[in-house]
Amino acid sequence: MMKRDECFRILKRHVTDEVVVATYSSAVDWLALGERTLNYFSVGAMGLDSSHALGLALGRPDKRIICLQGDGSLLMNLGSLVTIAAAAPKNLVHLVVQNRTYEANGGHPIPNTGTDFAAMARSAGYAHAHEFSELANFEQQAAHVLKQEGPVLATLHVEPSGPLTYDYPKLYDAARRAAIKAELS
Amino acid sequence: MDADLVDEGHDEIELKGSPIVAAIKASGIEYILSVPDIVTSRGLLRPIARDRDLKLIRVCKEDECIGIASGLYYCGKRALSLIQYTGFLDSINAIRGVGVEYKQPICMMIGLLGHDPHTTPRNSPRYGVRIIEPILDAMGIPHHLINEEPDIARIRPAIDDAYANSHPVALLIGRRPSVS
């Protein structure tokens, strides 16, 4: 089983000018790896990360959009898998961080911890779907996954992490949102 | 009898769909995000689906519209969510967070299913319709009733204002637009 922050450190080595959409625990771990203008944290309602990512992917087809979405969050917006598959943005990479818990809300389990998100994405019509449980395998395949023609979904099976500090005012700072908007529009 | 069961042919006032679509396009809207609504199905959604100047994204649930519109806004693109009032009610938390608290121009065109167009939404025979304007007022979201032809002139200024001053706006469709 992998750890989320380890996966993100691998991911960071491959990220250059991509927009990275993240929320809650994923946003905390991603931000810990460094500030960058193209981090999109203005989510505002749990579950909408994948929908924000679709809007970005449609609005800037010339840029790669990477969505880091927790399993609990995606469960709140499962229909977005079908919407994304139908819209078929070639530049969208959807990484689902499956720790099987609502980590930011007390660590309670999601309703079915064995949910197969890659299978759901495949049946919804994503161009590619992957699953990773071993860090070495993810390390070997990350560059390939990030470059595939989308929409691509990859489930990262990770352990629940230790206690995190959720500095929401910092994550969702208006100046941060203004900076990325200026960069993208 | 429920107002939504009244035959459209019995409505002596016609609200034409084509000028509404024209006003949407004149507002710089490029993307229509929609879950079908019987109020706007024939007069708006079907012609929009055929319109090459508009990009229609069909979503599974209305709150997706709010996230997609936000992402598009960050890229300098204008979007309109074409939904039923029930979908608006279902999306309130997303509208609260993304639209109101983040001060983003989330533009919504909302069909008032079951409304009697001869009265105001606040006096609608349908409970769900009666609560729409009070909820919008409580959220501080400007709203405009599009019920008769002169109301169509409100669409473009309302959308322009939402983008100029970065706030959500709701355009309430009070009667079924015709296909003409």
Side-chain angles (χ1 to χ4, degrees), chain A residues 40 42-43 79 83 172 177 181, chain B residues 60 64 70 73-74 98 102:
Chain A
Y40 182 102
S42 55
V43 176
T83 303
Y172 303 141
R177 299 202 303 274
K181 184 174 187 310
Chain B
C60 300
E64 291 179 62
S70 177
Y73 168 62
Y74 274 80
V98 177
Y102 287 168

Side-chain angles (χ1 to χ4, degrees), chain A residues 47 69-79 102 110-113 115 117 120:
Chain A
Q69 185 166 33
D71 46 5
S73 183
L74 179 54
L75 284 174
M76 290 191 179
N77 195 2
L78 278 176
Y102 293 103
I110 62 172
N112 180 355
T113 57
T115 301
F117 294 102
M120 287 184 178

Side-chain angles (χ1 to χ4, degrees), chain B residues 53-66:
Chain B
D53 295 332
L54 294 168
K55 296 170 182 141
L56 173 62
I57 304 297
R58 299 182 190 274
V59 306
C60 300
K61 197 158 167 285
E62 290 84 352
D63 59 350
E64 291 179 62
C65 300
I66 312 307

Side-chain angles (χ1 to χ4, degrees), chain B residues 115-125 145 147 174:
Chain B
H115 177 53
D116 175 359
H118 303 95
T119 186
T120 65
R122 285 176 195 269
N123 292 303
S124 177
L145 180 62
N147 202 43

Side-chain angles (χ1 to χ4, degrees), chain A residues 74-92:
Chain A
L74 179 54
L75 284 174
M76 290 191 179
N77 195 2
L78 278 176
S80 68
L81 292 175
V82 176
T83 303
I84 289 169
K90 293 179 179 175
N91 55 333
L92 179 56

Side-chain angles (χ1 to χ4, degrees), chain A residues 44-57:
Chain A
M46 189 170 172
L48 285 191
D49 353 15
S50 46
S51 298
H52 284 277
L54 175 56
L56 291 162

Side-chain angles (χ1 to χ4, degrees), chain B residues 8 11-17 19 147-150 152 175-180:
Chain B
E8 288 174 79
D11 191 351
E12 69 282 3
I13 297 174
E14 183 182 20
L15 180 65
K16 293 181 179 177
N147 202 43
E148 299 182 13
E149 189 179 343
I152 296 172
R175 56 165 35 91
R176 297 185 187 197
S178 67
V179 292
S180 55

